[in-house]
Amino acid sequence: MSPDEYCEQKAAASGSSFYYSFRFLTPERRRAITALYAFCREVDDVVDETHDPEVAARQLDWWRGETAAIYAGTPEHPVGQALKQVVKDFRLPQEQLLEIIDGMQMDLEQARYADFKALQLYCYRVASVVGLLAAEIFGYTNRQTLKYAHDLGIAFQLTNIIRDVGEDARRGRIYLPVDELERFNVPAKDLLDARDSENFQRLIAFQIERAQKYYDQALALLPKEDRKSQRAGLIMAAIYRQTLREVEADGCRVLTHRVSLTPIRKLWLAVKAWVKS
């Protein structure tokens, strides 16, 4: 299996909404974004699949070393080998790949966030940075597109957090800010015990409203001249926003249910978004 085939398999196996947007890119850009996505999956899997935090931390350190090797031209891992030419062709900053790893490190070091400002740093590292790198791969002419990519990344991560509240709680993680839990009178134990309530419903409605504002803000920032080059991001936005609508339609039962769109639904949304943009 070649490095590119490894990355393709990694991306396809995830079933992520991101994968559907890749299919509409030119071969060169598709190969590049698939390699970047595979990198994100590898470091994310370190945290999600390694039960010993010390072992996971050592593995993340290994990936920091591998990132340095990518830029030195001597990577060992298939993903690193696939990225070696990509980082040159698209001038991807090394510090941004390291920021993604730092975001994963946060999952090893904390399971709560005091307020939204603290959560924003996490969202920036694990999502906005990916958006900024993706914008470089997709191409742009107006630097305001980077502001769009930043805010769209925040919107995506907030959507993930809302969708996965119950799943994350079962892993002992609560991403909803502590001060907002207190404001809506929702004890953390309610999340850990999957106990729904009117207060919890109000809390989730607040989270959804904030995520929707980030989508609106991001899309308003995207310059007209860069809409075509950034269509892959617009496809992802269509799929992720539909996920939020499905959460609401399901009664916001995120403590016990994880909403997901079928592959055919994602593909249909992708085609619609591509034609519309």
Side-chain angles (χ1 to χ4, degrees), residues 35-57:
L36 173 62
Y37 181 73
F39 173 86
C40 295
R41 290 293 342 146
E42 290 288 348
V43 295
D44 188 49
D45 287 348
V46 167
V47 175
D48 286 344
E49 298 178 5
T50 307
H51 301 297
D52 186 331
E54 291 185 6
V55 173

mmCIF file of all heavy atoms in Angstrom, residues 35-57:
data_model
loop_
_atom_site.group_PDB
_atom_site.id
_atom_site.type_symbol
_atom_site.label_atom_id
_atom_site.label_comp_id
_atom_site.label_asym_id
_atom_site.label_seq_id
_atom_site.Cartn_x
_atom_site.Cartn_y
_atom_site.Cartn_z
ATOM 1 N N ALA A 35 -4.343 13.634 2.764
ATOM 2 C CA ALA A 35 -3.162 13.416 3.609
ATOM 3 C C ALA A 35 -3.266 14.222 4.902
ATOM 4 O O ALA A 35 -2.946 13.727 5.988
ATOM 5 C CB ALA A 35 -1.895 13.793 2.845
ATOM 6 N N LEU A 36 -3.730 15.475 4.786
ATOM 7 C CA LEU A 36 -3.899 16.308 5.985
ATOM 8 C C LEU A 36 -4.943 15.697 6.912
ATOM 9 O O LEU A 36 -4.742 15.620 8.132
ATOM 10 C CB LEU A 36 -4.318 17.724 5.587
ATOM 11 C CG LEU A 36 -4.686 18.660 6.753
ATOM 12 C CD1 LEU A 36 -3.495 18.878 7.677
ATOM 13 C CD2 LEU A 36 -5.219 19.992 6.223
ATOM 14 N N TYR A 37 -6.052 15.252 6.333
ATOM 15 C CA TYR A 37 -7.108 14.658 7.154
ATOM 16 C C TYR A 37 -6.614 13.384 7.839
ATOM 17 O O TYR A 37 -6.925 13.140 9.009
ATOM 18 C CB TYR A 37 -8.343 14.352 6.300
ATOM 19 C CG TYR A 37 -9.468 13.761 7.091
ATOM 20 C CD1 TYR A 37 -10.214 14.551 7.971
ATOM 21 C CD2 TYR A 37 -9.773 12.407 7.018
ATOM 22 C CE1 TYR A 37 -11.233 14.016 8.728
ATOM 23 C CE2 TYR A 37 -10.792 11.859 7.768
ATOM 24 C CZ TYR A 37 -11.518 12.670 8.621
ATOM 25 O OH TYR A 37 -12.529 12.120 9.390
ATOM 26 N N ALA A 38 -5.837 12.575 7.116
ATOM 27 C CA ALA A 38 -5.298 11.347 7.712
ATOM 28 C C ALA A 38 -4.385 11.676 8.888
ATOM 29 O O ALA A 38 -4.388 10.969 9.912
ATOM 30 C CB ALA A 38 -4.542 10.542 6.654
ATOM 31 N N PHE A 39 -3.602 12.754 8.769
ATOM 32 C CA PHE A 39 -2.759 13.204 9.878
ATOM 33 C C PHE A 39 -3.628 13.527 11.100
ATOM 34 O O PHE A 39 -3.332 13.096 12.231
ATOM 35 C CB PHE A 39 -1.964 14.440 9.453
ATOM 36 C CG PHE A 39 -1.178 15.094 10.549
ATOM 37 C CD1 PHE A 39 0.101 14.656 10.866
ATOM 38 C CD2 PHE A 39 -1.709 16.155 11.284
ATOM 39 C CE1 PHE A 39 0.834 15.258 11.882
ATOM 40 C CE2 PHE A 39 -0.990 16.761 12.299
ATOM 41 C CZ PHE A 39 0.286 16.313 12.599
ATOM 42 N N CYS A 40 -4.712 14.261 10.866
ATOM 43 C CA CYS A 40 -5.608 14.621 11.975
ATOM 44 C C CYS A 40 -6.221 13.380 12.610
ATOM 45 O O CYS A 40 -6.342 13.292 13.839
ATOM 46 C CB CYS A 40 -6.712 15.554 11.470
ATOM 47 S SG CYS A 40 -6.125 17.161 10.894
ATOM 48 N N ARG A 41 -6.604 12.404 11.782
ATOM 49 C CA ARG A 41 -7.191 11.177 12.306
ATOM 50 C C ARG A 41 -6.171 10.408 13.142
ATOM 51 O O ARG A 41 -6.498 9.873 14.205
ATOM 52 C CB ARG A 41 -7.668 10.266 11.163
ATOM 53 C CG ARG A 41 -8.855 10.750 10.393
ATOM 54 C CD ARG A 41 -10.167 10.810 11.111
ATOM 55 N NE ARG A 41 -10.262 10.047 12.328
ATOM 56 C CZ ARG A 41 -10.980 10.436 13.375
ATOM 57 N NH1 ARG A 41 -11.618 11.587 13.362
ATOM 58 N NH2 ARG A 41 -11.065 9.696 14.443
ATOM 59 N N GLU A 42 -4.932 10.336 12.670
ATOM 60 C CA GLU A 42 -3.898 9.594 13.398
ATOM 61 C C GLU A 42 -3.693 10.164 14.797
ATOM 62 O O GLU A 42 -3.664 9.415 15.785
ATOM 63 C CB GLU A 42 -2.576 9.609 12.619
ATOM 64 C CG GLU A 42 -2.577 8.783 11.349
ATOM 65 C CD GLU A 42 -2.574 7.289 11.594
ATOM 66 O OE1 GLU A 42 -2.339 6.855 12.737
ATOM 67 O OE2 GLU A 42 -2.812 6.544 10.622
ATOM 68 N N VAL A 43 -3.538 11.479 14.895
ATOM 69 C CA VAL A 43 -3.259 12.064 16.216
ATOM 70 C C VAL A 43 -4.507 12.051 17.094
ATOM 71 O O VAL A 43 -4.408 11.937 18.325
ATOM 72 C CB VAL A 43 -2.652 13.481 16.094
ATOM 73 C CG1 VAL A 43 -1.280 13.419 15.434
ATOM 74 C CG2 VAL A 43 -3.557 14.432 15.336
ATOM 75 N N ASP A 44 -5.687 12.152 16.478
ATOM 76 C CA ASP A 44 -6.926 12.068 17.245
ATOM 77 C C ASP A 44 -7.113 10.652 17.797
ATOM 78 O O ASP A 44 -7.529 10.476 18.946
ATOM 79 C CB ASP A 44 -8.111 12.456 16.357
ATOM 80 C CG ASP A 44 -9.411 12.567 17.139
ATOM 81 O OD1 ASP A 44 -9.414 13.227 18.196
ATOM 82 O OD2 ASP A 44 -10.419 11.984 16.708
ATOM 83 N N ASP A 45 -6.777 9.657 16.988
ATOM 84 C CA ASP A 45 -6.908 8.268 17.433
ATOM 85 C C ASP A 45 -5.987 7.961 18.612
ATOM 86 O O ASP A 45 -6.296 7.097 19.442
ATOM 87 C CB ASP A 45 -6.601 7.311 16.280
ATOM 88 C CG ASP A 45 -7.709 7.277 15.239
ATOM 89 O OD1 ASP A 45 -8.795 7.816 15.513
ATOM 90 O OD2 ASP A 45 -7.471 6.714 14.147
ATOM 91 N N VAL A 46 -4.847 8.636 18.676
ATOM 92 C CA VAL A 46 -3.932 8.449 19.809
ATOM 93 C C VAL A 46 -4.675 8.704 21.122
ATOM 94 O O VAL A 46 -4.581 7.931 22.081
ATOM 95 C CB VAL A 46 -2.708 9.384 19.702
ATOM 96 C CG1 VAL A 46 -1.935 9.418 21.026
ATOM 97 C CG2 VAL A 46 -1.784 8.934 18.576
ATOM 98 N N VAL A 47 -5.443 9.789 21.145
ATOM 99 C CA VAL A 47 -6.154 10.172 22.371
ATOM 100 C C VAL A 47 -7.367 9.286 22.612
ATOM 101 O O VAL A 47 -7.630 8.861 23.735
ATOM 102 C CB VAL A 47 -6.566 11.661 22.295
ATOM 103 C CG1 VAL A 47 -7.418 12.051 23.498
ATOM 104 C CG2 VAL A 47 -5.327 12.547 22.222
ATOM 105 N N ASP A 48 -8.120 8.989 21.544
ATOM 106 C CA ASP A 48 -9.369 8.247 21.711
ATOM 107 C C ASP A 48 -9.162 6.749 21.941
ATOM 108 O O ASP A 48 -9.990 6.103 22.578
ATOM 109 C CB ASP A 48 -10.256 8.446 20.477
ATOM 110 C CG ASP A 48 -10.878 9.833 20.443
ATOM 111 O OD1 ASP A 48 -10.879 10.514 21.487
ATOM 112 O OD2 ASP A 48 -11.370 10.231 19.367
ATOM 113 N N GLU A 49 -8.069 6.206 21.434
ATOM 114 C CA GLU A 49 -7.896 4.757 21.480
ATOM 115 C C GLU A 49 -6.820 4.272 22.448
ATOM 116 O O GLU A 49 -6.671 3.071 22.670
ATOM 117 C CB GLU A 49 -7.588 4.234 20.073
ATOM 118 C CG GLU A 49 -8.729 4.490 19.084
ATOM 119 C CD GLU A 49 -8.409 4.009 17.679
ATOM 120 O OE1 GLU A 49 -7.341 3.389 17.495
ATOM 121 O OE2 GLU A 49 -9.231 4.247 16.774
ATOM 122 N N THR A 50 -6.060 5.202 23.028
ATOM 123 C CA THR A 50 -5.014 4.824 23.985
ATOM 124 C C THR A 50 -5.509 5.149 25.389
ATOM 125 O O THR A 50 -5.744 6.305 25.723
ATOM 126 C CB THR A 50 -3.704 5.592 23.709
ATOM 127 O OG1 THR A 50 -3.340 5.412 22.342
ATOM 128 C CG2 THR A 50 -2.588 5.089 24.601
ATOM 129 N N HIS A 51 -5.694 4.115 26.203
ATOM 130 C CA HIS A 51 -6.324 4.304 27.514
ATOM 131 C C HIS A 51 -5.359 4.839 28.575
ATOM 132 O O HIS A 51 -5.799 5.420 29.572
ATOM 133 C CB HIS A 51 -6.955 2.993 27.980
ATOM 134 C CG HIS A 51 -7.996 2.461 27.039
ATOM 135 N ND1 HIS A 51 -9.161 3.142 26.760
ATOM 136 C CD2 HIS A 51 -8.035 1.335 26.278
ATOM 137 C CE1 HIS A 51 -9.886 2.457 25.894
ATOM 138 N NE2 HIS A 51 -9.221 1.344 25.579
ATOM 139 N N ASP A 52 -4.087 4.647 28.386
ATOM 140 C CA ASP A 52 -3.094 5.136 29.339
ATOM 141 C C ASP A 52 -2.633 6.527 28.891
ATOM 142 O O ASP A 52 -1.980 6.664 27.849
ATOM 143 C CB ASP A 52 -1.908 4.180 29.387
ATOM 144 C CG ASP A 52 -0.895 4.550 30.466
ATOM 145 O OD1 ASP A 52 -0.774 5.751 30.784
ATOM 146 O OD2 ASP A 52 -0.214 3.642 30.971
ATOM 147 N N PRO A 53 -2.946 7.586 29.646
ATOM 148 C CA PRO A 53 -2.578 8.946 29.243
ATOM 149 C C PRO A 53 -1.080 9.147 29.038
ATOM 150 O O PRO A 53 -0.671 9.905 28.158
ATOM 151 C CB PRO A 53 -3.089 9.810 30.412
ATOM 152 C CG PRO A 53 -4.166 9.002 31.042
ATOM 153 C CD PRO A 53 -3.726 7.577 30.888
ATOM 154 N N GLU A 54 -0.256 8.450 29.833
ATOM 155 C CA GLU A 54 1.191 8.600 29.679
ATOM 156 C C GLU A 54 1.663 8.004 28.354
ATOM 157 O O GLU A 54 2.526 8.582 27.677
ATOM 158 C CB GLU A 54 1.916 7.927 30.850
ATOM 159 C CG GLU A 54 1.718 8.658 32.182
ATOM 160 C CD GLU A 54 2.549 8.040 33.298
ATOM 161 O OE1 GLU A 54 3.353 7.117 32.997
ATOM 162 O OE2 GLU A 54 2.411 8.487 34.447
ATOM 163 N N VAL A 55 1.084 6.875 27.986
ATOM 164 C CA VAL A 55 1.423 6.266 26.693
ATOM 165 C C VAL A 55 0.963 7.167 25.560
ATOM 166 O O VAL A 55 1.688 7.396 24.583
ATOM 167 C CB VAL A 55 0.785 4.870 26.568
ATOM 168 C CG1 VAL A 55 0.983 4.309 25.161
ATOM 169 C CG2 VAL A 55 1.380 3.917 27.606
ATOM 170 N N ALA A 56 -0.243 7.710 25.693
ATOM 171 C CA ALA A 56 -0.774 8.606 24.667
ATOM 172 C C ALA A 56 0.109 9.840 24.522
ATOM 173 O O ALA A 56 0.372 10.307 23.399
ATOM 174 C CB ALA A 56 -2.205 9.007 25.016
ATOM 175 N N ALA A 57 0.561 10.395 25.640
ATOM 176 C CA ALA A 57 1.436 11.580 25.595
ATOM 177 C C ALA A 57 2.733 11.267 24.866
ATOM 178 O O ALA A 57 3.231 12.092 24.084
ATOM 179 C CB ALA A 57 1.710 12.072 27.017
#
